[in-house]
Amino acid sequence: GLAHRVVVIPAAQKTDHGGTASRQYSGSLFEQALLLVLDATFHTLWKADGTPAEDLWPRHANLE
């Protein structure tokens, strides 16, 4: 495989309307967990790289 690590994020299926995996609607729990995992991954890679935030800011997307 291409990956050195695999992260499994269990979440409710879109067809799980009974709330057995989560009380949240459809993939909300998965999306929230994914946001946290990717944010932590980016932060770890950024700290390992050592690039100052000022150098990264011009490449940041402005979605406001």
Side-chain angles (χ1 to χ4, degrees):
L2 298 175
H4 294 283
R5 303 278 189 273
V6 175
V7 177
V8 177
I9 302 173
Q13 300 292 319
K14 289 185 178 185
T15 56
D16 180 14
H17 302 291
T20 56
S22 172
R23 295 184 70 166
Q24 298 184 53
Y25 178 74
S26 293
S28 297
L29 179 62
F30 173 77
E31 292 165 358
Q32 292 168 7
L34 188 62
L35 174 68
L36 293 173
V37 168
L38 291 177
D39 195 41
T41 301
F42 170 78
H43 187 74
T44 301
L45 292 172
W46 174 43
K47 289 300 179 185
D49 179 61
T51 302
E54 295 79 18
D55 292 350
L56 294 176
W57 184 248
R59 293 185 273 168
H60 191 272
N62 183 356
L63 301 176
E64 296 177 2

